[in-house]
Amino acid sequence: MVTRDRQMLFQGLVVNLEQFDVQVGSKGWHTFQVVRHPGGVGVLPLHADGSVTLIRQLRPAVDATLLEIPAGRLDKGEEPADCGRRELLEETGLSAETLIPLGMLHTSPGVFDEAIHLFLATDLHQGIAQPEAYEEIETVRLPLADALVMARDGRISDGKTIAALFRGAGRES
């Protein structure tokens, strides 16, 4: 990709906004704005009985409370598996003996560079959740089959959760 005139328009707490021109083949130069994000991790906790633990939390960006997998932002230099274990414990109180990689996904590559690493967590142990001060999280445990139906019919609308559910189904260790 050939670029020019890169400039940072905004630097925020979580994201930055960069603008630059890209040469698009014979179409010439075109201006793009990209939201820069450090990336994240999402974890699908699968219990021995075939149920999963999801979380319900407020998402102000879409003015709704969504049902999602536990997830969070990567700290600088943090390994995705370490982030996954940290977020799983913080948001649900669960710890996992095993994390199975489910690949990565780009959340909205037309405007974001965010990449989310997905994991299936098994061999779970319950502890005490330690949410961030700004988080109000409710855990919801339900059969994996029910969560898959909810992803199909739209009751679960979060992309990382849908991807983790379908990638994780049938991948138990």
Side-chain angles (χ1 to χ4, degrees):
M1 180 172 75
V2 180
T3 66
R4 68 179 185 197
D5 298 329
R6 287 182 172 271
Q7 58 181 313
M8 195 61 65
L9 301 178
F10 173 78
Q11 290 184 303
L13 296 172
V14 177
V15 297
N16 298 329
L17 179 61
E18 184 180 16
Q19 180 172 293
F20 52 93
D21 294 335
V22 176
Q23 188 172 19
V24 183
S26 64
K27 303 286 184 177
W29 291 94
H30 298 274
T31 302
F32 287 82
Q33 292 178 336
V34 175
V35 177
R36 300 292 185 193
H37 186 280
V41 172
V43 180
L44 177 62
L46 178 65
H47 299 271
D49 66 0
S51 64
V52 295
T53 295
L54 302 179
I55 62 170
R56 190 180 316 275
Q57 66 178 331
L58 175 65
R59 292 303 194 180
V62 295
D63 192 25
T65 300
L66 300 182
L67 194 57
E68 307 176 23
I69 57 174
R73 185 176 55 238
L74 281 162
D75 289 337
K76 186 172 184 154
E78 186 177 30
E79 290 296 318
D82 294 337
C83 177
R85 289 182 190 284
R86 175 176 52 80
E87 290 293 337
L88 182 63
L89 181 63
E90 283 179 8
E91 295 185 352
T92 68
L94 292 168
S95 58
E97 294 291 323
T98 306
L99 282 185
I100 302 166
L102 296 176
M104 183 270 295
L105 74 110
H106 292 106
T107 57
S108 185
V111 292
F112 292 99
D113 69 351
E114 179 184 34
I116 297 182
H117 303 268
L118 299 174
F119 293 92
L120 179 68
T122 60
D123 305 312
L124 300 170
H125 306 283
Q126 186 65 58
I128 298 171
Q130 304 163 11
E132 300 285 345
Y134 60 85
E135 293 177 319
E136 187 173 282
I137 295 173
E138 173 193 358
T139 58
V140 178
R141 188 166 168 175
L142 68 160
L144 174 59
D146 291 355
L148 288 165
V149 168
M150 294 170 75
R152 280 188 196 100
D153 70 18
R155 286 180 284 162
I156 294 176
S157 62
D158 174 62
K160 71 184 174 303
T161 301
I162 294 167
L165 287 167
F166 286 101
R167 288 181 184 181
R171 299 266 320 260
E172 309 89 293
S173 60

